[in-house]
Amino acid sequence: DAKHLVPNKMRDFFCTINLDQEEVFRTQVVEKSLSPYFGEEFYFEIPRTFQWLSFYIYDKSVLQKDLRIGKVSIKKEDLCNYTGKENWFMLQPVDSNSEVQGKVHLELKLNELITDNGSVCQQLVVHIKECHGLPLINGQNCDPYATVSLVGPSRNDQKKTKVKKKTSNPQFNETFYFEVTRSSSYTKKSQFQVEEEDIEKLEVRVDLWNNGNLVQDIFLGEIKVPVKVLRNDSFQAWYLLQPRENGNKSSKTDDLGSLRLNICYTEDCVLPSEYYTSLRNLLLKSSDVQPISASAAYILSEVCRDKCDAVLPLVRLLLHHHKLVPFVAAVAELDLRDTQEANTIFRGNSLATRCVDEMMKIVGKHYLKVTLKPVIDEICESPKPCEIDPIKLREGDNVEINMENLRYYVDKVFREIVRSSISCPTLMCDVFYSLRHLAAKRFPNDPHVQYSAVSSFVFLRFFAVAVVSPHTFHLRPHHPDAQTSRTLTLISKAIQTLGSWGSLTKSKLSSFKETFMCEFFKTFQEEKFTESVKKFLDDVSSTESKEPSGVSEPVHLKEGEMYKRAQGRTRIGKKNFKKRWFCLTSREFTYHKQQDKEPIFTIPIKNILAVEKLDESSFNKKNMFQVLHGEKPLYIQANNCVEASEWIEALCRVTRCNQKRLSFYHPSAFLNGSWLCCKATTESTEGCARCTADVPADTQIEIDGDRETERIYTLFTINRSKLQKLEEACGSIAVYQGPRKEQDDYSNFTIEDSVATFHTLQQIIDIVEKLNESHEKYQKKRSSSAKYGSE
């Protein structure tokens, strides 16, 4: 959210997230506010190098261009200082001289030349090779050129490259020569005089510009390299473009307002797979360790201050290797041992409940989409008033009508849920089956506990949470408005109550905190709802096959607006780019003129031969990719680098098992009778580049096992001191079998078997030390091979 924005009157604001100058996400517009609350969450993998993560606040305009009010820019190196906590940032003014992105490839060399009279002078050779990742100007590729200058106390020699049209990756390949020093005997009448020692004060400056033709040229960034670093060497390196030194400086920075952000940024250096073998194997055998509290996975959750940090990589790793179900069963059994009352089963924030929560989020996202998205869309797009709290009723509201509206929505959501068991992922069913039987075994005299063990997850922690915050579960693109949020909260409360086993009995009605909810639930017929819940819970906690008799519904994977190039089936007319709505399911890839319209082009998934990036040189457009199928390639342009990366990944995952996948492809297009990449003149020529391999195979879950193991190694490294304290505690118990010393240091650890726990800890510490050595070797090698100015 933001506060005290200028201009100091009610306006319509939205916020964008940018990697350098490239917008990757945009919030909804918050109308008529000086302190807008956006409340939106964006999670994304960063597909390219970047210098700044920036957030821009815009004043929405209907007739004119949206006005940038201010920005928050955080340097990549500083992101770790803000991660995991909320911070208020003062908005800074937006200055065109500070808005830069991209990099330039230079080769610099000092030559010694002998003049006609035998004296020695030095010559600087600047070879400007190419640039990469320059920004879009007004949504289009720029027309860049570079100026190359040799700057010193008494000189400024400047030369200029040719303008390259419509590209953000220009290839210049131009060389410029500058005289650096002259012998001291050189005539004083020359236009400049530079003695040998003045080389200390000289620098090469390269400025990138967008050629404005009839309007002013736009500054794109600069780099400066001191000539003295070239004493005995030639340098060839990529240099990141920088803002102008006077850019982004203003005396007024306090009056633009401020923006509150919660940023979670992680960056892992993932080594080759074989480095993680020992740690991976130790974690994967956790479910076989007796007792489970002595396992590496359990110890990870014990030493992490926030269990959440440990649970996500752990669940993803165990999922990837099909080891999650036995681990959840083992930690759930430990949880149940401490549960004294059947009606409090799985209500805490234990390792077991956190693992199941994360598993449901990862595995169940498509299940949620097919079950709840249509009804959530209806509630958000054509909302009916549903407020039934007398204190919150607005003037003119009729509580009876509102109650009917709420009842209609609750019935509809509840009906969709209890009819959805056929779509529940098998893995979720397997986990629920384990929990159900463990609960029945722990409380053998309570016939209902086997159902409440499952309903406490599937209703309370899955469906009810998704209803109250649909944007978090990607059921809606934006946070709903205040009135719709309130309606969703009331529906969520109702779903929790209906799903809680036995909660509709009359003795339970009095336990409602709000009297108005108690009145609302008097209209529900207990038997009808409890029978539906019982049947649903039976179905989702069964290990029997749930295959429907008919053809199963396709799984909806991704949708969104992009541009596609006309397929060019006719020779008449220009093959231009058109905006289309794209939709990917587990069965087909389609595009439509508009959302919710019939598809105008369909590619069955089984017919897709490859999905690859397309070189920008093909159409002078960024963020393009190609879908190769039986006919001509389908060329598509995404709106930004994150979106392009996500679409390529999704399409690759769903087509990986196709039998006729290509091994080679053309990275550029076939235009004007030849392939731009290899110059072959036949359109059917086999590709000249090897296709991308090793994409994750599972359509539902994309998991990089090595990356998750690296994250766990990092967590063990951060918590090294706690591992050692736990090791000391185990040693103390094992040796003395008496009172524990320094009670406070380890009283919160679970140590059931000190010998087994001590053995696992020694293995963890040994593995972490070896991985530390490998990381240090890699960092040394990387820093020794890095050149001045290289990224």
Side-chain angles (χ1 to χ4, degrees), residues 760-786:
T760 306
L761 281 163
Q762 282 189 314
Q763 289 178 280
I764 293 170
I765 291 168
D766 184 49
I767 289 166
V768 167
E769 281 175 358
K770 284 178 182 167
L771 275 169
N772 279 343
E773 287 172 19
S774 302
H775 278 80
E776 281 169 17
K777 276 182 190 170
Y778 170 76
Q779 293 296 354
K780 276 182 187 171
K781 187 180 174 186
R782 187 181 179 191
S783 59
S784 65
S785 63

Side-chain angles (χ1 to χ4, degrees), residues 370 547-548 550-558 583-590 601-608 650-651 653-655 658 699-700:
V370 296
E547 279 301 310
V551 179
S552 63
E553 283 293 305
V555 176
H556 182 100
L557 298 173
K558 190 167 176 59
C583 185
L584 175 65
T585 71
S586 54
R587 197 177 292 164
E588 58 192 18
F589 181 50
T590 57
F601 189 74
T602 300
I603 308 173
I605 292 300
K606 63 180 187 207
N607 291 356
I608 294 178
L651 282 158
R653 283 198 310 278
V654 78
T655 59
N658 287 359
T699 304
Q700 302 274 352

Side-chain angles (χ1 to χ4, degrees), residues 265-280:
Y265 174 76
T266 56
E267 183 180 300
D268 295 317
C269 168
V270 184
L271 300 172
S273 192
E274 60 268 18
Y275 285 86
Y276 300 107
T277 305
S278 300
L279 182 56
R280 185 169 51 239

Side-chain angles (χ1 to χ4, degrees), residues 403-633:
M403 201 174 278
E404 277 180 35
N405 292 339
L406 182 60
R407 177 65 194 257
Y408 166 78
Y409 283 147
V410 169
D411 277 341
K412 195 158 188 178
V413 171
F414 179 80
R415 194 165 60 247
E416 291 299 329
I417 291 171
V418 294
R419 283 161 48 182
S420 71
S421 58
I422 202 83
S423 307
C424 187
T426 310
L427 191 84
M428 282 175 69
C429 296
D430 290 345
V431 169
F432 295 152
Y433 176 82
S434 292
L435 299 176
R436 179 179 173 173
H437 285 273
L438 286 168
K441 184 178 162 189
R442 172 72 180 85
F443 298 101
N445 300 323
D446 188 331
H448 297 318
V449 74
Q450 58 175 312
Y451 294 108
S452 56
V454 178
S455 69
S456 65
F457 286 106
V458 74
F459 276 100
L460 272 65
R461 305 172 84 116
F462 186 58
F463 283 119
V465 179
V467 168
V468 83
S469 54
H471 61 292
T472 306
F473 289 84
H474 307 292
L475 298 175
R476 295 287 297 171
H478 299 298
H479 193 286
D481 61 61
Q483 185 182 324
T484 310
S485 282
R486 175 63 179 161
T487 298
L488 292 171
T489 301
L490 292 170
I491 296 167
S492 177
K493 285 184 178 194
I495 293 301
Q496 286 182 52
T497 306
L498 290 171
S500 296
W501 183 255
S503 65
L504 285 177
T505 55
K506 290 180 177 51
S507 61
K508 293 271 184 173
L509 279 174
S510 59
S511 68
F512 275 113
K513 289 178 188 171
E514 305 104 333
T515 316
F516 62 87
M517 288 302 283
C518 182
E519 291 299 315
F520 177 61
F521 271 102
K522 283 179 181 174
T523 65
F524 286 78
Q525 296 173 3
E526 179 198 334
E527 196 174 326
K528 172 185 155 191
F529 283 94
T530 48
E531 279 306 307
S532 299
V533 170
K534 181 176 181 295
K535 183 180 182 308
F536 170 73
L537 294 174
D538 275 331
D539 289 344
V540 296
S541 59
S542 163
T543 54
E544 294 173 16
S545 171
K546 309 191 308 312
E547 279 301 310
S549 51
V551 179
S552 63
E553 283 293 305
V555 176
H556 182 100
L557 298 173
K558 190 167 176 59
E559 62 182 350
E561 207 168 55
M562 295 187 289
Y563 294 83
K564 66 100 192 171
R565 184 176 186 257
Q567 297 271 34
R569 290 184 196 82
T570 64
R571 298 194 174 207
I572 303 165
K574 192 181 174 187
K575 298 174 188 175
N576 56 353
F577 282 80
K578 293 184 177 174
K579 190 186 283 189
R580 294 288 181 256
W581 184 265
F582 288 81
C583 185
L584 175 65
T585 71
S586 54
R587 197 177 292 164
E588 58 192 18
F589 181 50
T590 57
Y591 62 76
H592 317 240
K593 274 201 171 175
Q594 289 176 323
Q595 190 179 1
D596 301 326
K597 298 284 185 188
E598 286 299 307
I600 53 177
F601 189 74
T602 300
I603 308 173
I605 292 300
K606 63 180 187 207
N607 291 356
I608 294 178
L609 307 175
V611 182
E612 298 289 346
K613 288 182 179 176
L614 186 71
D615 281 355
E616 183 196 311
S617 57
S618 300
F619 302 105
N620 284 329
K621 290 182 183 292
K622 296 179 81 169
N623 305 317
M624 286 202 67
F625 63 95
Q626 51 185 319
V627 179
L628 307 172
H629 57 110
E631 301 177 36
K632 296 191 176 203

Side-chain angles (χ1 to χ4, degrees), residues 120-162:
V120 175
C121 72
Q122 287 187 304
Q123 182 188 56
L124 174 69
V125 184
V126 180
H127 180 193
I128 179 163
K129 295 190 169 190
E130 59 183 316
C131 290
H132 190 269
L134 298 180
L136 299 178
I137 305 293
N138 299 324
Q140 299 293 320
N141 276 329
C142 53
D143 296 338
Y145 68 90
T147 59
V148 183
S149 311
L150 183 63
V151 183
S154 58
R155 66 186 290 185
N156 187 351
D157 303 344
Q158 188 178 92
K159 306 189 181 194
K160 179 180 164 185
T161 69
K162 292 173 183 167

Side-chain angles (χ1 to χ4, degrees), residues 53 83 117 216 270 278-279 294 383 402 516 658 694 715 718 726 737:
L53 179 69
T83 190
N117 63 5
Q216 190 175 356
V270 184
S278 300
L279 182 56
N402 288 9
F516 62 87
N658 287 359
D694 301 325
L715 291 169
I718 292 166
L726 190 52
Q737 292 296 324

Side-chain angles (χ1 to χ4, degrees), residues 325-342:
V325 179
F327 180 75
V328 168
V331 290
E333 196 168 9
L334 187 65
D335 213 7
L336 287 168
R337 227 182 293 160
D338 296 330
T339 307
Q340 303 306 318
E341 299 286 332

